[in-house]
Amino acid sequence: MARPGAACPPPARRVMVAARALLFWALVYSYCGVCACIAGLRLLWSIGRRPGETFRWVVRENPPACLNDPSLGTHCYVRIKDSGLRFHYVAAGERGKPLMLLLHGFPEFWYSWRHQLREFKSEYRVVALDLRGYGETDAPPHKENYKLDCLIADIKDILESLGYNKCVLIGHDWGGMIAWLVAICYPEMVTKLIVVNFPHPSVFTEYILRHPSQLIKSGYYFFFQMPWFPEFMFTLNDFKVLKSLFTSQATGIGRKGCRLTAEDIEAYLYVFSQPGALTGPINHYRAIFSCLPLQHHEVIMPTLLLWGERDAFMEVEMAEITRIYVKNHFRLTILSEASHWLQQDQPDIVNKLIWTFLKEETKRKRE
């Protein structure tokens, strides 16, 4: 069957492409405006209720003890030759063991993998990275520095700088998107892929355009297109939004989950309360629409997808659709009582599922 539009003369095709692009960007900026209006109303409401508290912003001077807990591993740095950026990571387990590379989501940093650093260091060299722009990793100032091509290249270069040519790659949320794309672009570097609460990127881009409910849940993608205002909104009431993401009934870890301690919350506040600390993370989202829509790509290595069904940001239907893009063994496990923050919410179950997948694949290869 001929591809739609193939019979059109070149000028007509150009008009069609231009029209689709115009509609796409009209949607992006229209929804951005809606999200900005909602945020503005919330700001006015907060000022009206507690004007003295609204603009309180406390910069945490000293890190809480949990960030230097020796049981989590060693703080290390590596400078990438091509980009010149210095990356921070925490590593646990002996050098020379197979590499397990962990990519966090938003708004997180290496610490979101604390339970996995402790768990898998017995058999792996476990590395939890601060992505470009996060935590102690360098943060280039321009949004163009956060395009997906740059983020994918970061992982390839870091792998090589650590002295490895392959790894078990695990990603959550935004780190999950990067993990999918690394597995697609550099399949020889990923022996096994494990993604937590993020579908195949093609599933996400197609689903969000067809399901208004997911478009609404992903509203922050559009809100983050604005300059400086999203960062400002995060700082209000001493980072109330940040705390609420992890603790509220709507978006936080559920009643049956492993709730964050006061010290865990302070760890997040320490990292993101620093001046300018939010711009790099939000720039990841500001660059995303220049890379969309993505083409369909297949994943050829064994893949495990873990999903918290009570995810407030991602609809669970996308998890099952992801199966069609994995041309190898694919295992999907949906945890009914778990939230978006799955590896922190249900660490024991998540770790057990990862172990089962890794051992199962090792046994499968031997057979």
Side-chain angles (χ1 to χ4, degrees):
M1 181 180 291
R3 180 169 54 87
C8 297
R13 283 204 300 272
R14 287 198 293 270
V15 170
M16 289 174 63
V17 170
R20 290 181 65 183
L22 180 62
L23 288 171
F24 176 77
W25 286 108
L27 171 65
V28 169
Y29 287 111
S30 296
Y31 199 28
C32 174
V34 170
C35 294
C37 289
I38 294 172
L41 290 173
R42 288 175 175 170
L43 172 60
L44 292 174
W45 176 257
S46 178
I47 293 174
R49 289 184 63 197
R50 295 190 301 176
E53 290 291 312
T54 297
F55 301 106
R56 189 167 68 93
W57 171 2
V58 178
V59 177
R60 277 67 179 174
E61 299 291 343
N62 300 306
C66 62
L67 292 183
N68 292 309
D69 183 346
S71 72
L72 295 178
T74 305
H75 290 261
C76 307
Y77 301 86
V78 61
R79 188 170 296 279
I80 304 303
K81 291 182 180 179
D82 288 346
S83 66
L85 298 179
R86 190 185 76 156
F87 282 77
H88 168 254
Y89 63 92
V90 172
E94 296 177 10
R95 296 178 185 272
K97 289 183 176 180
L99 178 64
M100 177 181 285
L101 185 60
L102 308 174
L103 310 180
H104 64 79
F106 173 90
E108 298 175 287
F109 63 113
W110 71 266
Y111 187 70
S112 68
W113 297 110
R114 58 196 176 279
H115 303 292
Q116 288 69 45
L117 283 162
R118 292 190 182 101
E119 178 69 21
F120 295 101
K121 66 183 179 181
S122 59
E123 294 190 22
Y124 289 88
R125 174 70 168 173
V126 188
V127 170
L129 188 67
D130 275 345
L131 295 175
R132 175 184 291 226
Y134 281 84
E136 294 184 59
T137 290
D138 287 347
H142 305 296
K143 72 175 184 180
E144 290 76 15
N145 299 123
Y146 296 86
K147 290 183 176 180
L148 290 175
D149 288 346
C150 299
L151 307 181
I152 296 166
D154 284 345
I155 306 307
K156 174 181 177 292
D157 294 341
I158 286 167
L159 200 67
E160 294 172 348
S161 297
L162 293 175
Y164 287 85
N165 57 22
K166 58 185 177 180
C167 70
V168 173
L169 185 60
I170 306 181
H172 168 248
D173 183 68
W174 187 264
M177 174 183 273
I178 298 172
W180 281 114
L181 295 173
V182 171
I184 291 164
C185 296
Y186 299 105
E188 71 282 359
M189 303 188 80
V190 182
T191 57
K192 299 175 185 70
L193 175 65
I194 301 170
V195 179
V196 183
N197 279 78
F198 201 94
H200 187 286
S202 294
V203 173
F204 181 64
T205 54
E206 291 171 359
Y207 190 91
I208 194 173
L209 293 174
R210 296 174 181 172
H211 296 80
S213 55
Q214 181 58 55
L215 189 68
I216 292 171
K217 289 180 178 180
S218 300
Y220 59 97
Y221 276 66
F222 301 90
F223 176 57
F224 287 169
Q225 301 308 305
M226 300 183 65
W228 72 264
F229 191 51
E231 289 95 321
F232 171 71
M233 290 299 293
F234 262 94
T235 66
L236 297 179
N237 295 289
D238 194 28
F239 297 87
K240 181 180 178 180
V241 171
L242 182 66
K243 290 179 275 192
S244 178
L245 281 173
F246 296 105
T247 61
S248 73
Q249 186 174 354
T251 64
I253 293 173
R255 290 177 300 169
K256 297 184 179 180
C258 184
R259 292 180 177 274
L260 271 62
T261 66
E263 191 175 34
D264 292 336
I265 296 294
E266 277 303 308
Y268 280 90
L269 292 174
Y270 168 75
V271 168
F272 289 107
S273 69
Q274 306 306 316
L278 283 160
T279 299
I282 293 176
N283 274 342
H284 281 249
Y285 291 89
R286 291 185 174 126
I288 186 64
F289 289 113
S290 63
C291 308
L292 294 177
L294 300 171
Q295 295 180 351
H296 297 175
H297 292 290
E298 295 178 348
V299 174
I300 62 172
M301 68 285 301
T303 301
L304 171 66
L305 178 57
L306 302 176
W307 203 281
E309 191 173 21
R310 294 179 180 257
D311 191 327
F313 309 102
M314 293 283 174
E315 295 190 352
V316 69
E317 288 78 10
M318 290 187 287
E320 184 59 42
I321 303 172
T322 290
R323 184 184 302 274
I324 66 176
Y325 292 102
V326 180
K327 304 306 176 182
N328 202 313
H329 176 62
F330 177 76
R331 179 179 291 276
L332 168 63
T333 301
I334 299 172
L335 302 182
S336 61
E337 295 297 328
S339 69
H340 177 75
W341 320 103
L342 187 56
Q343 78 274 23
Q344 301 184 78
D345 185 328
Q346 304 284 346
D348 293 341
I349 297 175
V350 167
N351 292 346
K352 183 177 179 180
L353 290 168
I354 292 175
W355 274 127
T356 299
F357 174 73
L358 295 174
K359 300 294 186 182
E360 177 184 70
E361 283 307 307
T362 301
K363 182 179 179 182
R364 191 187 301 270
K365 279 189 174 183
R366 288 173 181 170
E367 293 175 350

